[in-house]
Amino acid sequence: MTPHEVAALVQALATVMATEPAKEFFNHPVDAVALGLDDYHDVVTRPMSLREVLARVQAGGGHDGHPGTSNDNDATTKDAEAPTPYPSLADALQDIRQVWRNCRVYNSSFHMAHLRRAVDALDETLRESLAKAGITSLPLPSDLPEQAKAINAHITEIDIPEKYNAYLGEQLPYRVLDGWTVCVATDAFETAPCEAADFYDKWVLENGEVDGEGEGEGDDANRHTANRHDGDGSTEKNRAGNRTRVGVDQAKIENQPPPRLAAYGWLAVPTPLFEPADDLPGATGNGTQQSLPQLAKKNKDDEDDDDDDDVALAAATKAKAEKTQQTRVKVWLPRVLDWSIDYENPQSMWLITESGWYRMLDPSGEYSVLFKEGVSKKFDLAARAVNVLKQDPLASWDDALPKILAPPPKPGRPRGRPPKDRSLVEEDKKDKKAKKGG
């Protein structure tokens, strides 16, 4: 670390450690015995405290202490062996990040959200202090998998801030994922159908655990996916530039487990209806908000509907892009377990991981074709069947089937936005002409 980085980080840590939440929970190592936390070291395998981080940072810059942190440097610390300095700013930030992670992992239940929000506030305080010292571009987590770096993800699932979580009384949080892609866990550029997500777990139940299962992110846990078998049983390496999509039939390869799947996309702060909070009112559909044509008509004459729609769409897109830079973050989800459909309002699709449920909004451009060919058709068919039964629970099969098999709406209206009723527009124009003629 450079002298400037050491001085800036010492000051930032001093600012953070002077806050009440840090004094109570994060400055000192957790005394699991005194607090009666019998399972703490089973859950938290790498304990860390801000005082330990500060000692190592100060060791690298020749600091004997810093104003506001003298209470943390007691006689025990002075008598102990001198701490090893951090070789880089990234290493120091990784240990600070470990403090936050330990809190999120051990206090993962929904009724401990206040602690996770405290972590987010302290992390923001640290970043603001470093920014004042001229350190604005912080290194990414050192344990971020190479697959995640390849698609420019900023965080993994374990580092998701609390503002992206919503709870409905269950243990796992609900989140909103936009511009998403499902891929092979070992290759972010090899897309996979999300309906194949549970093939791996089914294979493990039938055949036993795979070698390497349970290893950490970014390791070799999925090295069995490095090779592929073609039709005649020979093996072909999956080289860059010669990607293959993971099909359902690949799960049936003899003595070969199907690949585990991962996903990535943009996390958005959810509204109570699990829509992105940074969308303008009316920018999403599902019949719960104004449509873009309604926005276009608001506060202006409706002389040219198509032009108004284009203006409103352009304004919504621009506003969303500006807010996205401030409110969204690209996340890497290292393991997708399954997918599901919610038949209530709003009807929606969800990805399921070990740590949360993710409402699937619009897929990324590169994934849209695979999405429309697979799970999108299943969702549309299932949603139509449920809607028909809701309208008439006693409907006969002969009456319900034509409605269920009716052609889906034309593409191009994201998230179920209702089409504009042209008949009303034509009637409105005729009325205006009649009034002018009279």
Side-chain angles (χ1 to χ4, degrees), residues 145-151 180-194 196-197 199-200 218-228 238 242-248 250-251 257-264 332-336 367 370:
E146 290 302 319
Q147 303 94 299
K149 295 177 182 177
I151 49 91
W180 53 273
T181 298
V182 176
C183 62
V184 176
T186 53
D187 190 344
F189 297 103
E190 185 174 350
T191 57
C194 55
F199 286 8
Y200 178 85
D219 57 23
D220 240 21
N222 297 305
R223 55 181 173 270
H224 55 274
T225 65
N227 295 329
R228 296 278 182 261
N238 182 24
N242 189 25
R243 313 289 184 183
T244 59
R245 284 193 328 203
V246 178
V248 174
Q250 285 181 296
R260 294 196 317 193
L261 301 188
Y264 55 90
W332 170 260
L333 309 178
R335 185 173 183 184
V336 175
Y367 194 76
L370 186 58

Side-chain angles (χ1 to χ4, degrees), residues 72-350:
D72 295 325
N73 298 315
D74 53 19
T76 303
T77 304
K78 293 179 181 179
D79 295 338
E81 185 176 335
T84 304
Y86 287 110
S88 67
L89 178 62
D91 292 309
L93 292 176
Q94 189 67 14
D95 273 359
I96 296 174
R97 194 176 291 111
Q98 186 67 41
V99 178
W100 310 151
R101 287 180 177 180
N102 290 345
C103 176
R104 290 192 181 104
V105 169
Y106 191 74
N107 303 285
S108 60
S109 62
F110 68 92
H111 62 271
M112 299 301 287
H114 63 285
L115 272 180
R116 298 191 297 275
R117 283 193 291 269
V119 162
D120 295 340
L122 293 176
D123 186 63
E124 186 64 25
T125 299
L126 182 81
R127 291 172 180 272
E128 290 176 354
S129 180
L130 289 174
K132 290 179 181 178
I135 303 177
T136 56
S137 180
L138 301 183
L140 294 172
S142 60
D143 58 352
L144 194 68
E146 290 302 319
Q147 303 94 299
K149 295 177 182 177
I151 49 91
N152 298 318
H154 302 115
I155 60 173
T156 57
E157 198 170 19
I158 195 174
D159 295 321
I160 293 177
E162 187 62 22
K163 67 180 180 180
Y164 296 108
N165 294 337
Y167 291 89
L168 299 178
E170 290 84 356
Q171 180 76 8
L172 293 180
Y174 293 82
R175 295 161 178 157
V176 172
L177 193 66
D178 207 357
W180 53 273
T181 298
V182 176
C183 62
V184 176
T186 53
D187 190 344
F189 297 103
E190 185 174 350
T191 57
C194 55
E195 57 266 37
D198 64 342
F199 286 8
Y200 178 85
D201 295 296
K202 290 180 179 178
W203 192 94
V204 170
L205 287 175
E206 295 175 358
N207 299 276
E209 195 167 290
V210 179
D211 291 341
E213 173 71 0
E215 296 176 15
E217 297 177 8
D219 57 23
D220 240 21
N222 297 305
R223 55 181 173 270
H224 55 274
T225 65
N227 295 329
R228 296 278 182 261
H229 291 261
D230 58 22
D232 60 2
S234 60
T235 300
E236 179 184 2
K237 290 188 178 180
N238 182 24
R239 300 181 180 87
N242 189 25
R243 313 289 184 183
T244 59
R245 284 193 328 203
V246 178
V248 174
D249 55 340
Q250 285 181 296
K252 301 177 181 178
I253 297 176
E254 185 177 1
N255 297 326
Q256 282 290 317
R260 294 196 317 193
L261 301 188
Y264 55 90
W266 292 91
L267 282 173
V269 177
T271 67
L273 291 176
F274 295 104
E275 296 284 0
D278 54 14
D279 273 347
L280 288 181
T284 58
N286 297 311
T288 60
Q289 297 176 340
Q290 289 180 310
S291 65
L292 285 175
Q294 289 173 314
L295 283 178
K297 293 176 184 178
K298 190 174 183 181
N299 298 325
K300 64 169 65 178
D301 294 330
D302 188 24
E303 297 179 356
D304 191 336
D305 289 339
D306 291 332
D307 289 344
D308 288 346
D309 292 355
D310 292 340
V311 171
L313 180 59
T317 302
K318 181 179 179 181
K320 179 179 177 180
E322 292 174 351
K323 291 188 176 183
T324 294
Q325 296 178 356
Q326 303 172 0
T327 61
R328 298 193 179 190
V329 62
K330 199 168 192 180
V331 63
W332 170 260
L333 309 178
R335 185 173 183 184
V336 175
L337 300 179
D338 206 347
W339 74 286
S340 179
I341 298 176
D342 183 359
Y343 296 106
E344 297 303 319
N345 187 23
Q347 291 181 336
S348 48
M349 292 172 289
W350 298 76

